[in-house]
Structures are given as structure tokens and as C-alpha cells.
Amino acid sequence: MLRRVFVALLLACSTAVVRADTVRVGDRVPEFSLASKDGGTVATADLRGKVVCLDFWATWCATCKAALPALDALARRPGFENVRFLAVNVDRDGEVADRWLAQNLPGAKMTVLRDDGGALLARFGAAGMPALYVIDRDGVVRHVEAGYETAALKQVESAIDALVAPRP
């Protein structure tokens, strides 16, 4: 429990810290394969050719819990039907996340993935939680958000709009 509190505090206070392995705009997404809430698997190879909105979240992160419903609403927006919205949960106990989702976001449009303990989150080198990455069809990060503000969601929406627009 103490370790979980320490990690939460570290992530919440780390917005000013930039690690050398931080995934930034213009970087390729690290290769990964994660289990989904429904028992399947999603891997980087499955995402090629698709615009992706990847969001790291946890039930112990109040900001994450505020952002998820707004992100799920964005996933339902007309024109975003072919965008993959991935909500990557980093709780050590996936059942806690399942209960929270069932109570607060039943029927979520996003695909919920498991990153128990945050190994993939660490590979991304996120500067805070929630950590959101908009990724183009070629697997290149085009927008990054750390934390959550309503105004930032408009920037995420604009970044996705630009990527789903037909290519000339």
C-alpha cells in the first residue's frame, strides 16, 4: 500500500521531470503487446494503419477518473469510428479497475488494456498521469498530453481530426 501511495505521489509530482527515454512528438511508439479487459490481446502490429489515441490511467488517479468519461465521449464522436481509443490501466489489481469501470463507465467505447504495475507506462516515460498519446497511421506520436484539462481535450480532438482527414 505504501509503495502504491509513493508511486502515485511520484507520478503526480513528476510533471516537471523529463526523462531521457520520454516518448515525444515525432517518436515511434514502443513495441508492446497488452492483454485487454475482455481477454484478448492488442499489439503494436495490430495498430498499424490506424490512428490511435492511447491513454494511461489508474483508479488511484483522480484526474484520470475525471478524464476517462470525456475521452470515451470523444471515442463516440462521429468521424472517429476508425480511430482506436485505448485506455491502458496501470493498477496492479485489474479487478479494482473493472469494478470502477462497471460503476462509472459501463459500456465504454474504448478498448481497456492491462499494464499491471505500469511497465509500458515506464517505457513511455510519461511526465504525469493521465498520459495520453495520439499516434498516426505509421506509428508516430503526433500529440502528447500529461494531466487533464477540458481545454486540452479540444487539442486532442484537433490532433485526431488532422490525422483522420483524407490524405491528399
Side-chain angles (χ1 to χ4, degrees):
M1 178 66 177
L2 184 59
R3 183 168 186 246
R4 184 180 291 179
V5 171
F6 175 74
V7 170
L9 288 172
L10 181 63
L11 286 170
C13 297
S14 67
T15 56
V17 177
V18 177
R19 295 173 28 176
D21 58 345
T22 299
V23 173
R24 295 183 175 97
V25 171
D27 292 346
R28 294 197 70 67
V29 172
E31 294 290 321
F32 68 85
S33 179
L34 294 174
S36 67
K37 178 181 174 278
D38 63 8
T41 302
V42 174
T44 313
D46 302 325
L47 304 173
R48 287 192 185 30
K50 299 179 182 349
V51 173
V52 177
C53 182
L54 182 130
D55 180 59
F56 290 96
W57 70 284
T59 58
W60 44 259
C61 170
T63 308
C64 298
K65 293 189 297 188
L68 268 184
L71 192 58
D72 192 63
L74 189 61
R76 297 171 187 280
R77 197 197 99 173
F80 286 4
E81 295 86 0
N82 295 320
V83 176
R84 289 292 306 266
F85 283 83
L86 305 176
V88 182
N89 179 263
V90 299
D91 285 303
R92 289 197 181 279
D93 184 350
E95 290 180 21
V96 172
D98 290 346
R99 281 192 301 273
W100 186 88
L101 287 166
Q103 291 172 356
N104 299 283
L105 205 55
K109 173 94 166 102
M110 301 174 291
T111 301
V112 178
L113 301 177
R114 304 263 187 251
D115 183 22
D116 300 340
L120 182 61
L121 175 66
R123 287 181 53 212
F124 269 77
M129 290 280 287
L132 184 141
Y133 300 83
V134 176
I135 304 157
D136 72 13
R137 291 177 178 96
D138 298 319
V140 177
V141 175
R142 296 298 174 195
H143 186 84
V144 176
E145 287 290 334
Y148 172 70
E149 296 176 4
T150 305
L153 194 60
K154 285 290 181 196
Q155 294 174 339
V156 170
E157 185 175 17
S158 294
I160 295 170
D161 269 330
L163 295 173
V164 297
R167 292 182 181 183

